[in-house]
């Protein structure tokens, strides 16, 4: 369904609402739907920087399922998730 | 029975999530606690697999706004987004607030169907039940 059709349907019930207001409500509904159902998944790649420990995550990521890391032979191997975090921090 | 320590791998690459970031390090169980984790020393490709939110519709003040946009959600769930928006609209009208629960029930039906769709195995594999606090 196209955005215009969705807006038209909402306006049938709420003709006083502006288009932007309706778009914000639809985005709110979409966020809630995705976070409660975990219906959408995706994979993305990035390259590490030597001696950098932390890499920011996009706001759209709800939950990391797994992480693969390239090994010395160029194979992509699933790595383990640490429970908690290292006791001694390195904030790089 | 003695363990064959030669076959035990002491080094592992590990990750963890902290402050909206992913931490990557090499863990070496043979070292002292302070030196057990070291940052990766070379440029390596990382692949993240994750659950995500759908991209937002652009509002009219955005340059890329278009009324032909479509939600990333499968088509059969688009109507439930409309139901939620209608419900939220009724919740702001004291004289018509009794309409809100009807559309809320429709949205909740969509959530149930969405969970079943997500668990069907094609897009997400087996879902593990886990404890969480709210």
């Amino acid at each position: 369904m196209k955005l215009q059709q969705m807006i038209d349907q909402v306006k049938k019930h709420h003709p006083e609402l502006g288009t932007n207001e309706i778009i914000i409500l639809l985005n709110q509904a979409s966020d809630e739907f995705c976070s409660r159902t975990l219906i959408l998944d995706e994979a993305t790649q990035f390259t590490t920087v030597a001696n950098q420990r932390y890499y920011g995550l996009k706001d759209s990521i709800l939950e990391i399922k797994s992480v693969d890391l390239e090994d010395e032979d160029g194979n992509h191997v699933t790595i383990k998730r640490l429970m908690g975090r290292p006791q001694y921090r390195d904030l790089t | 029975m003695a363990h064959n320590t030669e076959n035990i791998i002491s080094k592992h690459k590990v990750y963890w999530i902290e402050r909206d970031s992913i931490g990557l390090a090499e863990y070496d169980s043979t070292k002292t606690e302070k030196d057990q984790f070291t940052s990766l020393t070379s440029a390596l490709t990382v692949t993240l697999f994750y659950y995500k939110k759908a991209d937002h519709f652009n509002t009219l003040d955005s340059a890329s706004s278009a009324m032909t946009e479509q939600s990333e959600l499968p088509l059969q769930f688009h109507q439930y987004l409309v139901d939620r928006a209608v419900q939220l609209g009724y919740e702001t009208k004291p004289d018509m607030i009794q309409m809100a629960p009807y559309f809320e029930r429709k949205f909740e039906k969509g959530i149930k169907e969405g969970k079943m769709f997500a668990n069907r195995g094609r897009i997400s594999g087996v879902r593990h039940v886990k404890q969480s606090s709210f």
Side-chain angles (χ1 to χ4, degrees):
Chain A
M1 193 188 304
K2 291 189 170 54
L3 177 60
Q4 184 65 62
Q5 293 169 296
M6 296 173 111
I7 291 169
D8 290 344
Q9 284 199 39
V10 178
K11 276 194 171 168
K12 279 182 192 165
H13 294 268
H14 305 295
E16 76 288 354
L17 287 180
T19 302
N20 267 351
E21 284 177 290
I22 294 171
I23 292 173
I24 289 165
L25 291 178
L26 290 169
N27 285 337
Q28 197 178 322
S30 174
D31 284 353
E32 187 181 348
F33 194 91
C34 292
S35 58
R36 287 179 63 189
T37 60
L38 297 180
I39 197 168
L40 296 179
D41 60 0
E42 195 177 65
T44 191
Q45 287 191 322
F46 67 91
T47 306
T48 59
V49 176
N51 299 317
Q52 181 178 327
R53 190 164 291 193
Y54 290 98
Y55 302 86
L57 295 172
K58 287 190 291 186
D59 287 342
S60 61
I61 295 178
L62 290 167
E63 188 180 316
I64 300 283
K65 284 200 295 181
S66 67
V67 177
D68 284 6
L69 187 65
E70 186 185 7
D71 66 10
E72 293 76 14
D73 303 323
N75 299 314
H76 293 264
V77 182
T78 301
I79 60 173
K80 290 180 180 172
R81 180 170 187 160
L82 189 69
M83 301 304 285
R85 58 167 181 78
Q87 194 175 352
Y88 288 86
R89 287 185 192 268
D90 172 355
L91 295 174
T92 52
Chain B
M1 196 171 84
H3 289 288
N4 183 357
T5 51
E6 286 176 15
N7 291 334
I8 298 174
I9 300 166
S10 63
K11 286 184 178 179
H12 296 279
K13 300 224 175 33
V14 293
Y15 77 95
W16 65 97
I17 308 298
E18 187 182 352
R19 295 175 289 119
D20 278 340
S21 300
I22 181 169
L24 293 165
E26 187 167 66
Y27 169 71
D28 189 342
S29 60
T30 62
K31 292 191 175 168
T32 61
E33 199 166 316
K34 195 175 179 188
D35 299 319
Q36 274 181 336
F37 293 92
T38 50
S39 298
L40 305 177
T41 52
S42 55
L44 298 170
T45 303
V46 180
T47 312
L48 298 181
F49 299 88
Y50 53 86
Y51 297 111
K52 59 166 274 188
K53 289 190 276 192
D55 290 339
H56 279 179
F57 295 116
N58 292 301
T59 49
L60 295 180
D61 40 341
S62 164
S64 46
S65 166
M67 288 297 139
T68 52
E69 283 183 89
Q70 286 203 51
S71 171
E72 280 183 90
L73 292 170
L75 187 63
Q76 65 266 40
F77 300 109
H78 292 187
Q79 185 62 46
Y80 297 118
L81 303 185
V82 174
D83 293 335
R84 186 60 149 185
V86 171
Q87 176 214 330
L88 294 171
Y90 279 126
E91 284 179 354
T92 61
K93 296 175 180 172
D95 54 328
M96 298 188 78
I97 200 164
Q98 71 279 7
M99 293 289 285
Y102 171 74
F103 289 96
E104 185 179 15
R105 279 196 298 278
K106 289 177 86 173
F107 180 73
E108 291 300 327
K109 179 172 169 277
I111 293 284
K112 203 172 165 184
E113 286 176 13
K115 284 180 179 173
M116 284 167 64
F117 185 88
N119 283 328
R120 79 200 192 285
R122 188 174 75 89
I123 58 169
S124 304
V126 176
R127 185 69 49 81
H128 299 282
V129 176
K130 63 181 179 184
Q131 193 176 9
S132 61
S133 57
F134 297 97

